[in-house]
Amino acid sequence: AQSVTQLGSHVSVSEGALVLLRCNYSSSVPPYLFWYVQYPNQGLQLLLKYTTGATLVKGINGFEAEFKKSETSFHLTKPSAHMSDAAEYFCAVRNNAGNMLTFGGGTRLMVKP
Amino acid sequence: GAGVSQSPSNKVTEKGKDVELRCDPISGHTALYWYRQRLGQGLEFLIYFQGNSAPDKSGLPSDRFSAERTGESVSTLTIQRTQQEDSAVYLCASSLAATQNEQFFGPGTRLTVL
């Protein structure tokens, strides 16, 4: 069985500060990993994904994530937070058959002016 | 629009009533997924369709939940005899095929059971 743990249900940063959202996973097979963002009253939007190859993945809106197999982590970062980054972020792992995503509990990012 | 759409956007119902939630996937997407998001929690996988078939229904929380898909297009999630614990946002997603990486999500239906 696969699982995803997001450390910190709420993260608050100042505008311009580094954003770091943590994600750890467990998977018995090489994982496919995803970060989604959910703005208020909207559906989930894919930020970035890791499948194979380069372990540092760049996504939209200046976000990136690094797959670290030894740490079973896929933390999301952004060098400088914008007010528009305030949203809920979900980390997910895809199962082997590709028919299901297992999501973490989500992290709500708040950006202070 | 070219995205996944869901209706209604909000549904308030009384305990014991049946509700139907609808999902229109992106045209040409053969795979369709239903998830449930309870307040303050992550998404919980319910069921997926490849074409009109649902190979695995084990994610449905109880036998009050059922889903169908017709014409490899629209899907309906039905909850019978709703309970207060069914209150959640129900999200639908679609992808080109079940093995495709990216699932595209709709805006969800917020269900409130009084």
Side-chain angles (χ1 to χ4, degrees), chain A residues 51-72:
Chain A
T51 53
T52 58
T55 56
L56 182 62
V57 181
K58 295 186 185 297
I60 62 172
N61 301 339
F63 283 92
E64 61 183 35
E66 186 171 9
F67 169 59
K68 291 187 177 180
K69 184 178 180 180
S70 61
E71 298 178 8
T72 61

Side-chain angles (χ1 to χ4, degrees), chain A residues 2-113:
Chain A
Q2 297 172 306
S3 66
V4 177
T5 302
Q6 290 183 240
L7 187 62
S9 59
H10 292 77
V11 169
S12 181
V13 301
S14 298
E15 193 173 18
L18 171 72
V19 175
L20 170 60
L21 305 182
R22 299 180 186 274
C23 173
N24 289 87
Y25 68 91
S26 68
S27 176
S28 58
V29 297
Y32 284 13
L33 296 158
F34 304 81
W35 274 100
Y36 282 85
V37 60
Q38 186 178 33
Y39 297 103
N41 300 315
Q42 295 186 29
L44 277 70
Q45 179 183 1
L46 183 67
L47 269 180
L48 49 79
K49 64 185 179 185
Y50 168 78
T51 53
T52 58
T55 56
L56 182 62
V57 181
K58 295 186 185 297
I60 62 172
N61 301 339
F63 283 92
E64 61 183 35
E66 186 171 9
F67 169 59
K68 291 187 177 180
K69 184 178 180 180
S70 61
E71 298 178 8
T72 61
S73 68
F74 192 55
H75 302 329
L76 181 71
T77 61
K78 182 174 180 177
S80 176
H82 294 168
M83 296 296 292
S84 60
D85 294 327
E88 186 135 23
Y89 293 80
F90 292 94
C91 181
V93 60
R94 198 196 80 181
N95 70 344
N96 211 24
N99 57 14
M100 183 175 83
L101 289 173
T102 299
F103 285 84
T107 297
R108 183 169 297 280
L109 176 65
M110 295 167 283
V111 182
K112 299 176 291 186

